[in-house]
C-alpha cells in the first residue's frame, strides 16, 4: 500500500539544475525520516541525502553544497534540489522511507551531459 512516485528528472548540461519530487502515500508521512538514493549503471545504490522528521538534513560529501533536501508534510512530498550538476551525478534517483527496507519506486532518471 505504500507508494513512492518520483518525478522531475531529465537531461541537463554540466552546471545545470533539476528539482526532484517524490510523492509518498500509504504512511503517515510526517512521522518518517526520508532519504534520496541514486544508482548509476554498474554501481551500487548510494545514499545522497536524508531528512528527518524535524527537517534536519544530511548529505553525502559528493553532493554537499550542491544539493538540498526538503520536505512538505502537508503534501507528503520530499524534494531534492540539485544545482551545479556534474556528469558523475548521472543516475536513477530514488526516494526511500528510512524504516521501510527494500521498498522502492520506479525512480527518475537524471542525465548530466559533459
Amino acid at each position: 500500500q505504500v507508494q513512492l512516485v518520483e518525478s522531475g528528472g531529465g537531461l541537463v548540461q554540466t552546471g545545470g539544475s533539476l528539482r526532484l519530487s517524490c510523492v509518498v502515500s500509504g504512511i503517515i508521512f510526517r512521522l518518517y525520516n526520508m532519504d534520496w538514493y541514486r544508482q548509476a549503471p554498474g554501481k551500487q545504490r548510494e545514499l545522497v541525502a536524508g531528512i528527518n522528521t524535524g527537517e534536519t538534513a544530511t548529505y553525502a560529501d559528493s553532493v554537499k553544497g550542491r544539493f538540498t533536501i526538503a520536505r512538505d508534510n502537508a503534501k507528503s512530498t520530499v524534494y531534492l534540489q540539485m544545482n551545479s550538476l556534474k556528469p558523475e551525478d548521472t543516475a536513477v534517483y530514488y526516494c526511500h522511507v528510512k524504516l521501510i527496507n527494500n521498498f522502492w519506486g520506479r525512480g527518475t532518471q537524471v542525465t548530466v551531459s559533459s
Side-chain angles (χ1 to χ4, degrees):
Q1 220 136 352
V2 179
Q3 293 187 72
L4 307 169
V5 182
E6 299 96 339
S7 63
L11 195 158
V12 297
Q13 294 182 327
T14 298
S17 297
L18 287 171
R19 189 192 194 207
L20 308 184
S21 299
C22 174
V23 179
V24 183
S25 60
I27 62 169
I28 305 174
F29 177 78
R30 64 179 176 84
L31 301 180
Y32 288 85
N33 297 339
M34 297 296 303
D35 299 315
W36 282 98
Y37 284 76
R38 67 187 181 189
Q39 187 167 29
K43 299 184 67 176
Q44 289 187 308
R45 192 167 297 186
E46 64 172 335
L47 177 66
V48 299
I51 187 165
N52 68 16
T53 58
E55 301 191 10
T56 299
T58 58
Y59 301 94
D61 287 342
S62 59
V63 307
K64 196 170 297 181
R66 300 188 298 121
F67 290 10
T68 303
I69 188 171
R71 66 191 296 158
D72 186 339
N73 289 337
K75 296 181 178 179
S76 296
T77 301
V78 61
Y79 304 95
L80 188 68
Q81 178 67 47
M82 306 186 296
N83 300 324
S84 301
L85 283 162
K86 305 174 181 179
E88 51 262 46
D89 296 318
T90 296
V92 178
Y93 284 72
Y94 301 88
C95 66
H96 182 256
V97 182
K98 181 75 74 178
L99 292 178
I100 304 180
N101 296 324
N102 304 312
F103 186 83
W104 307 94
R106 288 184 171 183
T108 185
Q109 176 71 51
V110 172
T111 303
V112 185
S113 62
S114 59

